[in-house]
Amino acid sequence: FEAARQHARVERAVAETGLDYTILRPMFYMDNPMNFQRESILSVGVFYGASGGQATSYVSSRDVGAVAATVLASPGAHRGRTYVLTGPAARTDADVARVHSAALRHEVRFVALELEQYRAALRQQGAPDWVVDAMVALENVKRQGWAQSVSADVPSLLGRPAETYESFAARQAEAVWSTKTG
């Protein structure tokens, strides 16, 4: 997986500079479905993926920002550390669709695709080749089960539980409703 190799090269390069550093490794963002499939989710109630039914430990971008602020407020305490940032539970894409259904108050179905079907759909939408390759690679990370581990780093660093997908989806839905009415 090329993106993982690139991340590893960057992390090594940072460590080799001799400068103080802290590495944050957020898992898949809870924002991803609404960021990348917003129109499909809102207009036809469909969320597509090629995860092969494997669970993913999605993390709230709000929690990632809070962790970054915590680290920046006390950099010495985190010198040379690497934190894996996840939500409190791994979710399948079918689970994610159910959570969005409840929050948006309309059905959101998950449609499972094979990797090549997913690639073809992205190309049909006009995504550039590099985006298609990256998105397919990310779905393959899920499919292989490499994104399902849950880390205790977010609650440990923030002194509170990581945000649940339900809480995140409710905030997203509220934002959707406010843009429709105002």
Side-chain angles (χ1 to χ4, degrees):
F1 172 53
E2 184 57 29
R5 285 189 288 276
Q6 290 175 5
H7 284 250
R9 282 192 294 267
V10 169
E11 288 180 10
R12 270 193 311 278
V14 167
E16 290 169 0
T17 65
L19 298 172
D20 290 344
Y21 68 89
T22 303
I23 294 173
L24 304 182
R25 288 184 186 156
M27 197 57 73
F28 285 75
Y29 289 98
M30 291 177 184
D31 310 62
N32 287 356
M34 286 298 279
N35 283 344
F36 297 113
Q37 297 191 47
R38 179 183 187 87
E39 288 307 311
S40 176
I41 289 170
L42 295 177
S43 64
V44 294
V46 176
F47 165 48
Y48 298 93
S51 61
Q54 294 293 325
T56 300
S57 296
Y58 290 94
V59 65
S60 162
S61 56
R62 184 177 277 182
D63 282 350
V64 173
V67 166
T70 297
V71 168
L72 289 170
S74 226
H78 306 283
R79 181 179 300 124
R81 302 285 308 268
T82 298
Y83 298 112
V84 176
L85 309 180
T86 72
R91 303 287 191 137
T92 66
D93 286 335
D95 293 336
V96 168
R98 282 191 290 278
V99 169
H100 281 291
S101 291
L104 293 167
R105 298 183 192 147
H106 73 80
E107 184 183 13
V108 177
R109 292 180 305 108
F110 172 65
V111 175
L113 302 173
E114 293 301 320
L115 288 172
E116 288 311 310
Q117 292 173 305
Y118 190 69
R119 178 183 303 281
L122 291 169
R123 282 196 174 124
Q124 185 178 21
Q125 294 171 19
D129 286 343
W130 70 270
V131 170
V132 171
D133 291 342
M135 296 298 288
V136 169
L138 289 172
E139 286 298 294
N140 194 41
V141 166
K142 292 181 190 180
R143 181 178 279 270
Q144 298 302 317
W146 298 332
Q148 61 187 333
S149 295
V150 175
S151 166
D153 288 345
V154 169
S156 174
L157 289 161
L158 298 182
R160 62 162 174 78
E163 183 174 26
T164 65
Y165 211 118
E166 288 81 0
S167 171
F168 171 81
R171 285 192 297 104
Q172 283 280 0
E174 186 175 307
V176 167
W177 294 324
S178 69
T179 59
K180 286 183 175 183
T181 59

